[in-house]
């Protein structure tokens, strides 16, 4: 068959009266091939994966082992504090000669809080259940502050406790919960104020190095205690406890106690650098403190909220439709295609 085709090809060439077939080089290409793609490295907003349920008549019942919330309580602790005689450092002024600020009375217009993270400083939290059971809730490493210099700050804790139920309750039995000496903390919390000194606009900052510390650059908040009541199952040998904390700081007022003056420059605990803070923060907070400032009282409030979950393992039967989850690489596209 191959020889027949070649002979036929020769015949066609002779009939055309040419030594070369027509359009022989129409698809020839000279030079390198260039492929240009838009960069797909930029991180974008995304949504949790959802699926479209198929016909319910195709669903199958399968067994599953799940973590079920048996009970949970929301506990709150709020306190206020007047931190006295705190020195704010001038970081920007609407004049080239900052010495013009000295002696001018201060008027504050806006107050801004800026921080890396807020949370709890404790490595573990001693939790008393009932009157004679104590469990240590240990911090969850996944909840540590994202700033590597503040990894002692956490927001989630886990632990487990054996149940001492006697089976006399059909479902569960209430137990008192008591926690004490929980230490709220912050990572690079700046109180930034804007206002005028005389008629000159300025911006000043105060770095809080500890929410609970009284002296130095602390705000002097007290340690936090919680108490409440949870329902524990009466027919289980063990339950898991999970605590999540939310820390909120508010500063409604900064009251200047005098005019702007010369102060001794003090470097922050950690200079603000681009790898840690973005360009917007760099524009607000300088690398080193200024030589001018003023004393003020800081009126602040602290709200610490805890959600304490009682979690049990349950064997359940769930309805599901097979082959409904589609697996992707997360959104990258490629030039090379597979047949």
């Amino acid at each position: 068959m191959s020889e027949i085709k070649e002979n036929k090809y020769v015949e066609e060439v002779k009939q055309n009266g040419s030594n070369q077939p027509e359009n022989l080089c129409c698809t020839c290409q000279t030079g390198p091939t260039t492929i240009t793609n838009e960069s797909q490295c930029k991180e974008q907003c995304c949504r949790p994966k959802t699926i479209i349920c198929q016909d319910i008549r195709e669903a199958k019942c399968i067994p599953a082992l799940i973590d079920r919330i048996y009970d949970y309580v929301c506990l709150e602790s709020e306190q206020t504090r007047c931190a006295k005689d705190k020195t704010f450092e001038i970081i920007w002024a609407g004049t080239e000669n900052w010495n013009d600020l000295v002696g001018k009375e201060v008027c504050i217009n806006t107050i801004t809080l800026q921080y890396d993270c807020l949370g709890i400083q404790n490595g573990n939290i001693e939790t008393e259940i009932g009157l004679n059971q104590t469990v240590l809730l240990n911090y969850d490493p996944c909840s540590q502050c994202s700033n590597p210099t503040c990894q002692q700050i956490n927001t989630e804790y886990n632990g487990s406790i054996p149940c001492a139920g006697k089976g006399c309750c059909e479902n569960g039995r209430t137990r008192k919960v008591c926690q004490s000496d929980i230490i709220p903390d912050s990572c690079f919390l700046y109180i930034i104020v804007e206002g005028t000194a005389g008629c000159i606009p300025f911006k000043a900052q105060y770095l809080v190095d500890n929410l609970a510390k009284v002296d130095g650059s602390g705000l002097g908040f007290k340690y936090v205690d919680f108490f409440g009541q949870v329902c524990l199952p009466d027919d289980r040998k063990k339950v898991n406890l999970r605590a999540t904390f939310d820390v909120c700081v508010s500063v409604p007022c900064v009251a200047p106690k005098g005019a702007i003056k010369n102060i001794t420059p003090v470097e922050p605990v950690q200079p603000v650098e681009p790898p840690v803070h973005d360009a917007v923060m760099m524009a607000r907070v300088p690398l080193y403190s200024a030589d001018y400032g003023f004393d003020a009282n800081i009126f602040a409030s602290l709200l610490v909220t805890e959600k304490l979950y009682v979690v049990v393992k349950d064997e359940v039967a769930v309805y599901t439709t097979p082959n409904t989850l589609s697996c992707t690489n997360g959104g990258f596209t490629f030039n090379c295609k597979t047949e």
Side-chain angles (χ1 to χ4, degrees):
M1 294 293 294
S2 176
E3 293 180 356
I4 294 175
K5 287 183 178 180
E6 290 176 357
N7 293 335
K8 184 178 179 181
Y9 176 76
V10 172
E11 291 288 334
E12 291 177 354
V13 171
K14 290 181 178 179
Q15 291 176 3
N16 292 336
S18 172
N19 293 330
Q20 296 290 338
E22 293 182 354
N23 300 327
L24 181 64
C25 296
C26 282
T27 58
C28 294
Q29 180 175 346
T30 60
T33 300
T34 302
I35 300 175
T36 303
N37 293 320
E38 289 188 8
S39 174
Q40 302 177 44
C41 296
K42 182 179 179 180
E43 295 182 352
Q44 301 176 349
C45 298
C46 61
R47 295 177 179 272
K49 184 178 288 293
T50 58
I51 60 173
I52 300 176
C53 294
Q54 305 297 324
D55 192 337
I56 190 64
R57 291 171 296 183
E58 298 180 2
K60 295 181 180 181
C61 189
I62 62 171
L65 184 64
I66 65 169
D67 288 331
R68 177 167 67 91
I69 299 176
Y70 189 86
D71 190 22
Y72 73 95
V73 291
C74 296
L75 309 174
E76 290 185 352
S77 176
E78 186 175 10
Q79 54 181 300
T80 58
R81 174 72 179 169
C82 176
K84 298 180 179 180
D85 302 321
K86 302 301 181 181
T87 301
F88 281 76
E89 299 167 349
I90 304 297
I91 59 175
W92 175 85
T95 176
E96 293 183 0
N97 185 7
W98 285 21
N99 197 51
D100 294 342
L101 299 172
V102 176
K104 298 291 194 303
E105 292 298 322
V106 177
C107 178
I108 293 176
N109 300 322
T110 63
I111 304 171
T112 303
L113 299 186
Q114 182 176 285
Y115 57 86
D116 282 359
C117 51
L118 299 172
I120 304 300
Q121 190 186 110
N122 304 62
N124 55 65
I125 297 175
E126 188 176 279
T127 303
E128 188 174 295
I129 306 292
L131 298 178
N132 54 8
Q133 279 186 303
T134 301
V135 57
L136 283 180
L137 302 183
N138 298 307
Y139 75 91
D140 187 340
C142 294
S143 73
Q144 288 180 326
C145 180
S146 58
N147 190 318
T149 63
C150 301
Q151 291 187 347
Q152 78 281 3
I153 300 177
N154 308 276
T155 56
E156 296 185 7
Y157 294 78
N158 299 293
S160 61
I161 184 172
C163 292
K166 299 180 180 179
C168 57
C169 292
E170 182 178 354
N171 293 314
R173 183 185 299 271
T174 58
R175 293 286 190 274
K176 297 178 179 62
V177 177
C178 179
Q179 298 170 329
S180 59
D181 297 332
I182 297 175
I183 307 172
D185 202 358
S186 63
C187 180
F188 291 101
L189 170 60
Y190 287 91
I191 302 175
I192 303 173
V193 298
E194 297 183 45
T196 57
C199 296
I200 303 174
F202 74 90
K203 186 183 294 186
Q205 69 174 15
Y206 176 76
L207 173 60
V208 179
D209 65 0
N210 195 305
L211 292 178
K213 188 178 179 181
V214 177
D215 57 352
S217 299
L219 290 182
F221 286 109
K222 297 178 180 178
Y223 291 179
V224 177
D225 295 347
F226 286 119
F227 67 88
Q229 216 168 229
V230 294
C231 180
L232 295 183
D234 209 35
D235 58 351
R236 303 275 181 148
K237 293 183 178 180
K238 186 186 76 169
V239 297
N240 296 320
L241 299 179
R242 184 174 184 84
T244 62
F245 291 89
D246 180 71
V247 177
C248 179
V249 178
S250 176
V251 179
C253 176
V254 173
K257 299 189 70 175
I260 292 181
K261 60 183 179 179
N262 289 100
I263 61 174
T264 303
V266 179
E267 294 186 7
V269 177
Q270 174 189 340
V272 182
E273 298 177 355
V276 179
H277 296 269
D278 57 20
V280 175
M281 188 176 294
M282 284 293 295
R284 295 178 176 177
V285 183
L287 290 177
Y288 296 98
S289 304
D291 295 334
Y292 301 87
F294 61 91
D295 295 333
N297 289 349
I298 301 174
F299 295 82
S301 66
L302 173 70
L303 175 63
V304 181
T305 304
E306 176 187 8
K307 286 187 178 181
L308 182 63
Y309 297 90
V310 178
V311 181
V312 297
K313 290 285 186 181
D314 263 355
E315 299 172 353
V316 298
V318 296
Y319 277 98
T320 182
T321 52
N323 302 322
T324 55
L325 293 179
S326 59
C327 188
T328 69
N329 65 3
F332 286 106
T333 58
F334 304 96
N335 292 315
C336 301
K337 303 294 182 181
T338 56
E339 298 295 336

